[in-house]
Amino acid sequence: MENRDSAFQRLFGSLENTRRFFAPGRVNVIGEHTDYNGGHVFPCALNIGTYATVRKRPDLKVQMYSVNFPDRNLIEFDLEHLYFRDEDDWGNYPKGVVAQFQQAGYTLDSGLEIVFEGNIPNGAGLSSSASIELATAVLVNQLFSFNLEMLELVKMAQKAENEFVGVHCGIMDQFSIGFGKQDHAVLLDCKTFAYSYSPIKLDGLTLMIANTNKQRGLADSKYNERRQECERALQALQQAYNVQNLCDLTLDEFRQCEDMIPDKTDRKRARHAISENERTLHAHHALVNGDIGRFGQLMNESHQSLRDDYEVTGPELDALVEAAWEYGALGARMTGAGFGGCTVNVVESSRQEEFIRNVSRKYREQTGLEPYFYAVAIADGAHEL
């Protein structure tokens, strides 16, 4: 594959006056399906992501190219005529971010030449769309000296995906990519945007993403269904408690009033959201105290709750996680929406190859699918290189 700098030279003649930016991918280590229930999430930025080589141009045109899609032509648009086009495909994400700057009253007084290159595995659920959005937001902010704070860029990126692209996502992806910190996870309160960092000291350990290679066909419809079930549970509990979100309740409070939820399924969904929020806070404390064993145990409990109470795992994710438990992972759980996608695992670095070999074999025997593994490190958020 051609790299971004050689592609830039081929397309635009030289690398003179170019600048380079990077925005990471992300993984949520614990805190799943808590965001829309007013709880906490616990993501970290990764050392894989989206790179951009960029230069201003004298007119008001923007020309973009991705080395990841060599069969697609240069995407071109005029800053004075910015709108969504199906045929622009991936280009609508950066285009949407540029549109957000303009809507917020910031004028780009020149066009841009940009070549993107990403090394986030396709379909791994590590948030390549939010990564390209933040890379674009940071490069526009820097090149035009708008001096916006990172939180503003994060909100613009989320708005671009919600309103320009039309994907209803929460703020976690963009936030963790913007605010990532090397060797730390970000504890984010999705209700207030208050956040803090927790050190992840992986001495002798590796953070491993494992891809089930199962297409997530059910994820969207089941996601909407789970949200409705949580909303019904909340309405039932509001008869006794003055709360705006399920995660405003502690697990002890929930246990005292869970019988107020008439539907057993809705009750299970609420139990997951509230217990997962508490697990996420406990995970933060475990890491602050350097207790990686307790952290791994909480990851395992998270998966069990997602499997039994929230019912979003499915046979492939369960098989991959259970094989990881069997072959020595300190902690393993599904991450993301569910029904396919990835797991996140903490494994001993010295046993990494043995772990991959054994888990692959067991998973293959049970599902007939071949998993992919990615050893990742925890990196800083979006920035200029």
Side-chain angles (χ1 to χ4, degrees), residues 12 14-15 24 35 38 62 93-94 98 183 204 226 228 240 251-253 255 260 286 311 340-341 358 362 370 379:
F12 304 120
S14 79
L15 288 167
D35 52 349
V62 175
Y93 293 97
V98 172
D183 297 329
R226 293 298 176 274
Q228 289 164 5
L251 193 53
D252 284 342
E253 287 170 339
R255 284 175 180 141
M260 293 183 65
E311 297 180 275
N358 287 331
K362 181 90 182 226
E370 188 70 48

Side-chain angles (χ1 to χ4, degrees), residues 84-332:
F84 180 94
R85 295 196 328 161
D86 279 329
E87 57 267 39
D88 285 345
D89 193 49
W90 66 267
N92 286 302
Y93 293 97
K95 200 197 294 189
V97 171
V98 172
Q100 288 305 318
F101 276 97
Q102 292 187 331
Q103 281 181 31
Y106 295 93
T107 302
L108 280 70
D109 56 10
S110 71
L112 296 167
E113 296 162 341
I114 318 174
V115 172
F116 292 103
E117 180 181 353
N119 60 356
I120 298 174
N122 280 341
L126 303 179
S127 211
S128 54
S129 59
S131 181
I132 197 170
E133 287 159 4
L134 261 300
T136 306
V138 169
L139 72 84
V140 169
N141 192 45
Q142 296 277 16
L143 262 62
F144 295 93
S145 302
F146 291 145
N147 300 317
L148 291 170
E149 296 287 333
M150 183 58 80
L151 184 57
E152 288 307 307
L153 302 181
V154 162
K155 287 178 177 176
M156 279 183 174
Q158 184 202 11
K159 213 170 169 194
E161 189 148 347
N162 290 169
E163 296 179 6
F164 194 88
V165 180
V167 175
H168 182 70
C169 65
I171 196 128
M172 177 183 73
D173 292 353
Q174 290 83 1
F175 196 98
S176 52
I177 288 167
F179 283 90
K181 183 177 178 183
Q182 185 175 346
D183 297 329
H184 289 73
V186 186
L187 181 71
L188 171 65
D189 184 333
C190 295
K191 205 169 42 183
T192 64
F193 296 157
Y195 69 97
S196 61
Y197 293 106
S198 305
I200 299 187
K201 295 188 177 74
L202 292 175
D203 299 330
L205 300 171
T206 296
L207 193 65
M208 181 84 66
I209 311 296
N211 192 339
T212 61
N213 279 322
K214 162 75 163 58
Q215 293 300 310
R216 294 186 300 176
L218 285 171
D220 291 341
S221 62
K222 292 295 184 183
Y223 175 83
N224 293 332
E225 191 180 285
R226 293 298 176 274
R227 288 192 74 143
Q228 289 164 5
E229 289 161 347
C230 288
E231 284 161 15
R232 285 200 303 265
L234 175 63
Q235 287 165 6
L237 294 173
Q238 283 172 332
Q239 296 171 48
Y241 286 94
N242 181 23
V243 290
Q244 301 302 309
N245 304 279
L246 284 177
C247 292
D248 293 343
L249 291 170
T250 66
L251 193 53
D252 284 342
E253 287 170 339
F254 173 72
R255 284 175 180 141
Q256 289 168 25
C257 65
E258 62 181 299
D259 290 342
M260 293 183 65
I261 304 170
D263 186 280
K264 285 183 180 177
T265 298
D266 293 352
R267 201 180 305 160
K268 284 166 68 176
R269 307 304 186 238
R271 186 188 304 121
H272 166 74
I274 293 164
S275 65
E276 182 77 350
N277 190 48
E278 290 211 352
R279 272 188 294 276
T280 305
L281 294 170
H282 291 322
H284 162 72
H285 292 305
L287 288 179
V288 167
N289 294 325
D291 190 348
I292 202 81
R294 173 68 178 139
F295 178 71
Q297 182 187 352
L298 289 161
M299 288 176 70
N300 297 344
E301 290 172 7
S302 169
H303 185 84
Q304 290 159 356
S305 179
L306 288 157
R307 180 191 65 199
D308 301 337
D309 280 343
Y310 223 61
E311 297 180 275
V312 291
T313 57
E316 293 82 11
L317 281 166
D318 288 339
L320 197 51
V321 166
E322 286 160 18
W325 292 341
E326 182 178 344
Y327 291 107
L330 274 76

Side-chain angles (χ1 to χ4, degrees), residues 25-61:
R26 69 93 191 97
V27 68
N28 191 28
V29 288
I30 195 168
E32 219 65 72
H33 293 281
T34 50
D35 52 349
Y36 52 85
N37 286 304
H40 293 78
V41 291
F42 204 40
C44 56
L46 303 174
N47 62 335
I48 51 177
T50 304
Y51 296 84
T53 298
V54 59
R55 176 171 63 202
K56 285 185 176 181
R57 50 182 291 140
D59 54 20
L60 292 177
K61 277 197 175 112

